[in-house]
Amino acid sequence: SQNPGSLYNPLYLYGDSGLGKTHLLHAIGNAIKEKFPNKRVLYVHAQEFLDEYVKYVKGDKEGVSIVDWFKNSVDVLLVDDVQFLANKKATEETFFSIYNSFYAANKQIALTSDQPPSKLRDLDERLKTRFTQGLPLSINTPEKTTCEQILKMKINHSDGLTVEDFDPEVISFLADRFGRNVRELEGALARLLFYVINIK
């Protein structure tokens, strides 16, 4: 088949900040482009979508409507932090139209947010319903062993250092202390590597 498919449309990833939702969204886009090179994949943060919508409303962009542009120019739509659309009625209405056009055309949509669709406050109920009809997946806090593996992988890919340069208790401490947020975990390791490299 030459369609990425919409069996689970939309794919909806949700979880706390720093757990890798954006990385997963980009990975989905890259995988689709690799398998279907002719597919037009667009990644957009919800705030960027809002900015584009404002430009169309203000008349900064001439010609085709924003709904028609998405319909005719994009095959796979990846929207990050969709919760930013909440409480913006006109923008929600436009996104609802875009979503429906994609769904009707069997085009894939993947979304992320910090909460499951049912718990998104102030979001249009029709959008909540659409989001829940696909495949909602929770991105959970990684287990300690997973955090340790992330740290070891990052260390082994660092410049001139290996896991053997670190006491296992240090890796265990970092995994315990910063493991609830992968972004913070990587930041803590980056600071440690900076000190270690400069001391050496």
Side-chain angles (χ1 to χ4, degrees), residues 142-153:
E143 296 178 354
K144 182 180 177 181
T145 53
T146 302
C147 292
E148 290 176 343
Q149 289 302 314
I150 291 172
L151 291 169
K152 290 176 182 178
M153 179 189 68

Side-chain angles (χ1 to χ4, degrees), residues 108-197:
Q108 183 66 54
I109 304 168
L111 311 166
T112 74
S113 83
D114 57 355
Q115 299 179 71
S118 60
K119 292 188 177 180
L120 288 176
R121 296 180 58 189
D122 302 318
L123 188 73
D124 189 303
E125 287 297 327
R126 296 175 303 168
L127 284 174
K128 288 185 184 182
T129 300
R130 294 296 191 275
F131 295 166
T132 55
Q133 72 186 155
L135 180 64
L137 293 174
S138 173
I139 308 300
N140 298 317
T141 302
E143 296 178 354
K144 182 180 177 181
T145 53
T146 302
C147 292
E148 290 176 343
Q149 289 302 314
I150 291 172
L151 291 169
K152 290 176 182 178
M153 179 189 68
K154 292 285 184 181
I155 291 169
N156 283 329
H157 284 88
S158 64
D159 199 11
L161 294 172
T162 67
V163 173
E164 285 70 30
D165 294 315
F166 294 83
D167 190 309
E169 290 186 4
V170 172
I171 294 175
S172 177
F173 170 78
L174 288 176
D176 268 333
R177 177 68 177 81
F178 301 101
R180 291 192 58 80
N181 185 309
V182 176
R183 194 177 296 132
E184 290 183 8
L185 182 68
E186 292 178 343
L189 177 62
R191 291 191 295 275
L192 178 61
L193 292 177
F194 175 80
Y195 294 135
V196 170
I197 290 171

Side-chain angles (χ1 to χ4, degrees), residues 2 4 29-41 75:
Q2 290 304 303
N30 291 336
I32 290 174
K33 284 297 292 182
E34 184 175 337
K35 188 171 183 181
F36 306 97
N38 295 327
K39 292 296 178 184
R40 298 163 297 179
V41 179
D75 298 312

Side-chain angles (χ1 to χ4, degrees), residues 32-82:
I32 290 174
K33 284 297 292 182
E34 184 175 337
K35 188 171 183 181
F36 306 97
N38 295 327
K39 292 296 178 184
R40 298 163 297 179
V41 179
L42 176 65
Y43 165 87
V44 62
H45 189 278
Q47 186 60 55
E48 294 172 327
F49 179 83
L50 287 168
D51 294 342
E52 288 300 308
Y53 174 76
V54 169
K55 289 178 185 177
Y56 274 93
V57 170
K58 291 170 67 176
D60 294 345
K61 296 204 170 185
E62 300 292 337
V64 68
S65 75
I66 188 171
V67 175
D68 288 339
W69 184 87
F70 272 89
K71 181 178 178 181
N72 298 324
S73 303
V74 180
D75 298 312
V76 179
L77 180 59
L78 312 173
V79 184
D80 206 2
D81 287 331
V82 74

